[in-house]
Each structure stands twice: as structure tokens, then as C-alpha cells.
Amino acid sequence: MDDSASAQILAGLNEEQRVAVTTDARLLVIRAGAGSGKTRVLTRRIAYGAATDSIDPRRVLALTFTRKAAGELNHRLRQLGLRQSAAAGTFHAIALAQLRQKWEERGEAAPTLLDRKVGFVARLVPRVNDRTTPLDLVAEIEWAKARRILPEKYAEAALANDRKPPMEPERVARVYEDYEATKAKRNLIDFDDILILCGRMLQRDRSAVEAFRWSFRHLFVDEFQDVNPLQFALLKVFAGPDPDLCVVGDSRQAIYAWNGADSSYLDKFNDHFPGAQAVALHQNYRSTPEILRCASAVLPNDDALEPTLPGGPAPTIASHADDKAEGRAIARMLRNAHTQRTRWRDMAVLVRTNAQVALLANSLAEADVPVNARGEGKLIERPEVLDAVDQMRRMGQSLAISLDDLANRLATPDVEDDEDGVDPGPTDGAGVDEDDRVEEGSERRQLLEAFIRLGRDHLAVDPNASVQSFVEALKAGSNEAAIAGGDRVDVTTFHQAKGLEWDVVHVAGMERGLSPIGHAKTPDAVAEEHRLIYVALTRAKRQLHLHWAEERRFGDRVSKRKASPMLDDISAAARGIDPRSSRSRNAQNAASMRKNLAAKNGGSLLKPAKDESDPVFQALKQWRLSIARANDVPAFVVFNDKTLHAIAHDRPDDKRSLLNVSGVGPAKAEQYGEEVLRLVAEASD
């Protein structure tokens, strides 16, 4: 054993990490909180085992959920000096490699991989109306296969799991059965079949499974909370009767139950692998204490992670008149925060849905903020949008008429209702109560409404635009054509943000109907929405800003919005109040504070009471007018009324506290800070 090598591997680890790296347990579950160094621990456990001869790195297999994660593991292992790097790959990549090897040995022709299911399924079912799309059916089939549910058991399982299939469960089951039969007839397999066939092959071929277990003696699994029943079954086959297995995960970041993932495999690991040792990593190395407190507040009975970073500014919460104003405010804050120390790529805007990605990226690009839209595929590449574009092209009408037709189809109740059958009410949103009457609808509807809105924005610039010219503009536009990487602000969904981190994070759309999403009706679904917000908040390292809009446009409809109920607890936590004790004392207290107070010490600004007669506000208003006239700009360019009210309410007495006021960024604090602080001090006397 090389003592110097092992000492170097252990350098800088805290006590919990050291235990996880050095324990000789053959069965180990590491419960690693956000930012607690899980990848560091995973790679150092492999490297330490190699240095101490307890692990042969040539016989290590690390299973991940993305190729990027696999590449990161191998990169870190090479940095730790492993000459013969461990094998790392996704479940599907490893399973497919095993199948291909066996097909070659037998001289069999490999099946063709069906990587585009939507068109395939579309040919199996007649299109009765616009409510049911092939994409909806594909989602149900994938959910069923991930949970190892056969076609004949689908209807029963859908009912037991509170699924809302796009058509009667029995009809979905028939489509599912036809899908499987047609694939088999044409010698096609899908991605789930890869795992099924690999597991079946290893179970039936003794020599194959023994060769696999000899090659891969030491198994590691990252993000174990995301394992679904199909993957877990294959893992059990991989591990065999005498497993050497280490898994890492965090049930607080379990956000894929809707897609078949089952975090109970992590929570009840000892039930599946008796005698396993458990290690928990509690220390967070990513976020400030203020951010961690707010993130923990959205999870009932959560014990907050232990921060290791020094304190920073409290997270802010801001309401906006509508979604356009939300986009403009976020753009201003991003520009104000952009400095030599904080690059564009150090900042992100996170949202719940892909439709929001398209719209916000467009708003930021219009404000000259360079953006990298990291949604699940570009808007113009989404199947729902491509289908709409194909219909528009076939009709051969102008872009304006085509967009009107699409909007009318979405608005017709018997063709494309909101997913809960809710009448959307008047298009101007008058009198609409979002809780009772307006849902933003399915993901398909949201994407099409975003497409319509961008199309009409395009027509405002080019009234003679055609369908084709608009599609080309979407493909070429800065928000759609942005290349991953570069010095750009990331705009992405909560799901896509998992595993990433930024210095400054803005979370947009913190409203009922989006966070939590409107179709989350069951307790389990609502709990997952809370975990999803937890994931979003824990992406922030130094600054966290949350936003919501009092009105939001969905296609031609304007919906009155209400703040997410989670903001009450986040707001309390931002002020250093334990939201759980606050709730027990008075359930209404936090909501009242959220509506009427701004935190003096936290910069957590919601809607502070506006006192027009406040001498500080009046002094600031007069000063702003003189500055605006001197520079020949509108007064709001200096500071808007909302920011002046916030300054008057918070009474900042130094630059740090001024920066905590929502609407005051570093650039304006530098430009106007001394005068503002002087005015506040003089008018307060």
C-alpha cells in the first residue's frame, strides 16, 4: 500500500466523507445532501480502494444516468492518478454493450433501435381529436415499461397509481399491446427493451452472467434515488448473490416519480440488501446559510444541511404586474449583476416548464442578455410544435391566419380543454380565480401557446412573415440557436438544472399552477413538486432571487395568478424565522407578512406597504426626478417606484444593506449608492 497516495486521496475530506471513502463495507449506501460532495466521495472511494488494494479498478463499474455524469466520473478518477480507469456508463449503454457482444457471439443480426417512438405510435392509433396525441401515449407506455407493467396489467396499474391517461386505460392498453407486437414483428427494440433483454439474457445464460460479474466485481451507482423498477431489477442481476455495491443518492432530490423512478430503493436500501452500512453527508459546500434555510423551508420536517460557506445576502422575493414585467425585471437584475467577477455563465434563470424556457429566453435576448436555452430540446424541435408546423404548412395560409387557427383549436373546449376540463373563462382574465377556474394546462398546450405568442411577436416586427420565415427565425434566433456553453446566462427547467450550480440563480413563475404545477393533485405529486423547488433553490451558490407574476398570458388568455404557497415559508426562512414554528403559532401570520412586509435585514421583498407620504420616499422621488432630467431619461430608468418604496421601507444604512433591497443591483449601488444613503439618513431624522 502506498501510504502517501492514500493520504493524498483523503486530504481535505470531512469526517463523514472520510468514513464513506474508507469503510470496508461491501454494501454501502451514502445519503448525500445537495452540495455535500457526493461525486468527490464516490471517485475517492474508488481511488482509495485501488490505493489500498481493496478494489481492482479494472473491475469497477460505475452506473450513471447521463453520459455527461459518466465522463465526469472518469475525468476525476484520472485526476486522482488511476492509470487504469474504471468503467463508467449509463444503464442503457452498459446493457446494450452486453447485448451486442452476445449477438456477435451467436452470429445474430442486432435488432434496429427505435429511437423516435412518436411517429411509430401515431400509425398505430387513429387520431380521434386533438386532445390525444401520440406523445401522450408514448409517455404512458414508457411509464408502464419503466415500472415493469405489461400491457394486460396497464389499466389496473394506472388506476392504482392515480394516472390520468390521455384516453380510457383499456384503449391505452390496446395501443401498448399493438406497439409491442408491431416492434417484435419488425425486429425493432426501444430503450426500455435494452434493459429488459439484457436482464433476460443474463438470467438465462449462466456463462454470460458469470463473465459479467467477473469483469465488474465492484458496482457503484450514482443518483440512486432516480432508479426505476426496471433498472433496479437489472442491477440485482448485475450484483448477483454476493454483491459488492455502493450507491449514492438523496431522497430530497427525487423528482422523477412521474416517469417511473422509485426513491424507496434508496430509503429502504437495507430491505433489499440486508446488512448494508449507511453513511450520511450533511455538510454543504455549495450554498450560503441563507439559501440553505430557504431551501429547507419547502420540505416538511427537513433538517437543513450544515453550511460551510460564510453568510451572504438573503434570498429575495419579488412580485411583478405580469410575465412580461417579470422578464424585464430579471433582465435588469442580470445586467446589474454582470461584472468581471460574475460572468454571464455564472447566472441562471430556472423555470418549471419548457414553455417558460422559450418565452423567458426570448425576453432576455430582446434585452441584450446573452442566453443559453437549455430546455428539453429547442421549442421548434419539440414534437408538439413540429406537428403544429406541419399542419400549418399543409393549410398553406399566412402566418397570422395559421396562428389564429391554432389558437382557436386550443380554445375550443370539446377539442382541447384544459386538462382538468376547466372552462378558461373570459380571455381578458376578468374575474378569474386561478385556483378554481384556470389551469395553465398540459405541457403540450403550454408549448403551443408559447409558439403562438412568439409567432405574434414576430408578426409585430414583420407583418408579412410566412410560416416558413417564422420557423427559420426560431431556428436562427439567439434564444433557440444558442450553443451549450460560452459566456451566456442559462435558462432552463428545474429538472434540467439538477446536478448543476450557479453563483446567481433567478427562479421565475413561483405561482400556484406552476410551482406547484396545476396537475399535481395527489399528496405524492405535491410532495414531488416541493422536492423540485428544493432542487431549484439549492442550485444557487451566492444569490437567490424568486419571482412571480400577478398576471400571466397563456396564448390568448390572461390568467390572474396567486403566489405559490411555498413562498410564505421561504419568506419566513429568509427573515430567520423557522416556518414550522410560525405555522404552528398562526397559519395566517406568514401570508400576512408576505403581503405587507419587506425584511429589513434580508432584502426579502414581496409587496411592502406603500406610504406615499413617507418623507424618505418623497425625498427619493424628488432626487430621482432631478437625476432623470439631468440625464434626459425617463424617471423609472433611475429607479422605479417599487424600488423607491422598498428603499424607504427598509431604510438601508450602508451599501451592503442597500444591495439587499430588491431592484438595486451592484451597478446602481455604485452609481447612486452614496446619494441614496445620504438621502435616507437625512430624511429619516
Side-chain angles (χ1 to χ4, degrees):
M1 181 179 81
D2 187 339
D3 290 338
S4 62
S6 59
Q8 187 174 358
I9 291 167
L10 298 178
L13 298 179
N14 65 38
E15 186 57 33
E16 294 170 346
Q17 293 172 333
R18 182 182 288 263
V19 170
V21 167
T22 61
T23 179
D24 59 2
R26 288 170 56 83
L27 288 170
L28 178 65
V29 55
I30 303 172
R31 296 187 171 90
S36 63
K38 70 177 181 62
T39 306
R40 186 186 201 201
V41 166
L42 193 66
T43 52
R44 293 204 185 193
R45 179 168 174 78
I46 296 171
Y48 182 81
T52 57
D53 296 325
S54 60
I55 285 178
D56 183 347
R58 296 169 300 178
R59 299 179 66 189
V60 165
L61 173 62
L63 292 161
T64 66
F65 286 85
T66 66
R67 289 189 296 271
K68 180 181 177 182
E72 176 66 17
L73 280 173
N74 272 327
H75 174 68
R76 293 206 191 186
L77 287 171
R78 286 193 295 272
Q79 285 185 320
L80 290 169
L82 282 188
R83 296 174 183 173
Q84 295 169 312
S85 186
T90 66
F91 277 88
H92 289 90
I94 299 300
L96 186 57
Q98 298 303 307
L99 287 171
R100 282 178 173 158
Q101 181 178 335
K102 183 54 62 176
W103 291 329
E104 286 180 9
E105 289 175 1
R106 294 173 178 172
E108 298 176 0
T112 301
L113 182 62
L114 177 66
D115 59 351
R116 295 188 180 275
K117 303 176 189 175
V118 176
F120 188 83
V121 169
R123 290 187 287 271
L124 300 179
V125 58
R127 187 160 185 172
V128 178
N129 57 45
D130 281 344
R131 176 187 287 279
T132 299
T133 70
L135 189 69
D136 298 323
L137 291 167
V138 166
E140 285 303 297
I141 291 170
E142 289 180 342
W143 173 83
K145 295 187 75 168
R147 300 192 75 82
R148 307 176 75 198
I149 298 168
L150 298 173
E152 59 269 25
K153 296 291 186 181
Y154 169 80
E156 178 185 346
L159 180 63
N161 286 274
D162 293 313
R163 299 291 291 180
K164 291 186 177 180
M167 57 175 63
E168 294 84 355
E170 292 74 18
R171 290 182 63 197
V172 175
R174 287 197 294 273
V175 173
Y176 180 11
E177 187 175 17
D178 289 346
Y179 170 75
E180 293 297 306
T182 306
K183 281 197 294 98
K185 188 184 301 182
R186 299 182 185 178
N187 197 29
L188 297 169
I189 60 173
D190 62 25
F191 283 101
D192 292 322
D193 292 330
I194 292 171
L195 305 186
I196 294 169
L197 292 173
C198 182
R200 189 179 298 163
M201 180 269 291
L202 292 176
Q203 287 176 316
R204 294 176 178 176
D205 190 327
R206 185 178 182 84
S207 63
V209 74
E210 286 180 350
F212 179 91
R213 291 171 183 165
W214 182 87
S215 297
F216 301 120
R217 185 69 193 91
H218 316 287
L219 299 179
F220 293 79
V221 186
D222 194 13
E223 303 286 6
F224 196 65
Q225 77 279 351
D226 294 336
V227 167
N228 65 37
L230 183 54
Q231 292 161 333
F232 185 75
L234 183 59
L235 177 65
K236 292 279 281 188
V237 175
F238 284 174
D242 183 27
D244 184 339
L245 174 64
C246 170
V247 304
V248 184
D250 181 12
S251 57
R252 288 174 289 194
Q253 299 185 71
I255 58 174
Y256 291 105
W258 57 273
N259 204 28
D262 189 345
S263 61
S264 71
Y265 294 128
L266 174 66
D267 297 333
K268 300 177 180 178
F269 187 79
N270 217 279
D271 292 348
H272 301 285
F273 296 98
Q277 180 180 347
V279 177
L281 306 182
H282 295 103
Q283 290 185 289
N284 175 282
Y285 293 89
R286 176 188 299 151
S287 306
T288 64
E290 292 81 1
I291 291 171
L292 291 180
R293 275 200 305 270
C294 290
S296 181
V298 305
L299 299 180
N301 306 314
D302 180 57
D303 292 325
L305 295 168
E306 299 172 14
T308 60
L309 299 184
T316 69
I317 307 173
S319 64
H320 307 280
D322 54 34
D323 51 350
K324 285 283 191 182
E326 178 187 56
R328 289 194 297 268
I330 291 172
R332 284 196 302 270
M333 294 178 73
L334 290 168
R335 288 199 305 268
N336 287 340
H338 180 231
T339 63
Q340 213 168 22
R341 181 181 172 222
T342 304
R343 301 160 297 183
W344 294 118
R345 65 173 175 265
D346 298 325
M347 299 185 283
V349 183
L350 308 184
V351 292
R352 176 62 177 85
T353 68
N354 281 288
Q356 290 170 275
V357 170
L359 293 173
L360 257 174
N362 190 66
S363 294
L364 298 184
E366 288 177 349
D368 294 326
V369 173
V371 295
N372 180 30
R374 299 171 63 123
E376 297 170 5
K378 299 174 184 177
L379 180 69
I380 194 57
E381 294 176 354
R382 295 283 297 194
E384 304 92 329
V385 174
L386 287 173
D387 186 45
V389 169
D390 286 343
Q391 290 185 47
M392 293 162 75
R393 283 171 171 158
R394 286 197 299 270
M395 296 299 292
Q397 296 174 319
S398 68
L399 175 61
I401 294 174
S402 298
L403 292 172
D404 286 343
D405 286 347
L406 179 57
N408 289 334
R409 288 201 301 274
L410 291 178
T412 304
D414 61 352
V415 175
E416 180 65 30
D417 274 336
D418 285 323
E419 64 178 22
D420 293 314
V422 181
D423 178 5
T427 57
D428 64 358
V432 175
D433 185 284
E434 196 277 337
D435 276 341
D436 298 330
R437 301 181 61 192
V438 177
E439 293 284 346
E440 69 287 341
S442 65
E443 177 78 350
R444 173 178 177 265
R445 179 178 190 127
Q446 289 184 55
L447 290 164
L448 291 177
E449 288 174 336
F451 176 72
I452 292 168
R453 184 163 170 181
L454 291 175
R456 288 177 173 163
D457 288 346
H458 185 72
L459 281 170
V461 177
D462 182 4
N464 298 317
S466 64
V467 172
Q468 184 59 31
S469 66
F470 171 51
V471 169
E472 290 172 356
L474 278 182
K475 290 180 178 178
S478 59
N479 61 311
E480 290 294 331
I483 301 172
D487 193 17
R488 301 171 181 267
V489 173
D490 284 316
V491 183
T492 190
T493 64
F494 299 162
H495 284 98
Q496 290 288 303
K498 187 168 175 286
L500 303 175
E501 60 183 38
W502 297 269
D503 284 350
V504 180
V505 168
H506 291 262
V507 180
M510 284 294 296
E511 304 146 22
R512 291 180 186 271
L514 286 175
S515 296
I517 200 75
H519 57 69
K521 302 296 186 185
T522 66
D524 285 346
V526 172
E528 180 152 320
E529 289 296 303
H530 280 251
R531 293 195 296 272
L532 192 53
I533 293 296
Y534 175 84
V535 167
L537 302 190
T538 53
R539 301 310 94 195
K541 296 163 68 175
R542 294 192 294 108
Q543 293 183 35
L544 175 63
H545 307 286
L546 297 98
H547 306 263
W548 68 281
E550 296 173 5
E551 288 184 355
R552 192 170 293 276
R553 183 173 290 278
F554 298 100
D556 288 336
R557 296 171 300 134
V558 175
S559 169
K560 299 290 186 183
R561 313 295 287 173
K562 292 182 179 178
S564 168
M566 286 182 267
L567 286 181
D568 289 337
D569 290 341
I570 295 171
S571 177
R575 293 191 298 275
I577 301 170
D578 183 346
R580 284 161 286 193
S581 63
S582 177
R583 284 196 299 269
S584 65
R585 287 195 304 269
N586 184 345
Q588 300 302 317
N589 188 43
S592 175
M593 287 190 294
R594 179 179 57 77
K595 290 179 180 178
N596 299 308
L597 297 177
K600 266 202 167 192
N601 193 25
S604 178
L605 175 62
L606 296 177
K607 294 178 72 177
K610 296 177 180 178
D611 182 0
E612 299 290 336
S613 63
D614 185 333
V616 175
F617 175 74
Q618 289 298 326
L620 290 169
K621 196 172 180 181
Q622 288 298 318
W623 164 81
R624 180 185 65 177
L625 181 60
S626 66
I627 294 294
R629 286 174 174 170
N631 291 280
D632 194 23
V633 296
F636 70 82
V637 171
V638 182
F639 284 122
N640 61 30
D641 279 0
K642 194 171 188 177
T643 300
L644 293 189
H645 279 295
I647 295 171
H649 185 278
D650 284 10
R651 302 289 207 271
D653 55 7
D654 57 28
K655 277 200 176 180
R656 180 182 176 84
S657 56
L658 179 62
L659 279 168
N660 284 337
V661 177
S662 180
V664 181
K668 288 192 176 181
E670 184 65 30
Q671 187 175 5
Y672 304 126
E674 290 185 7
E675 294 178 75
V676 168
L677 292 173
R678 177 182 58 78
L679 282 168
V680 169
E682 291 176 354
S684 298
D685 291 340

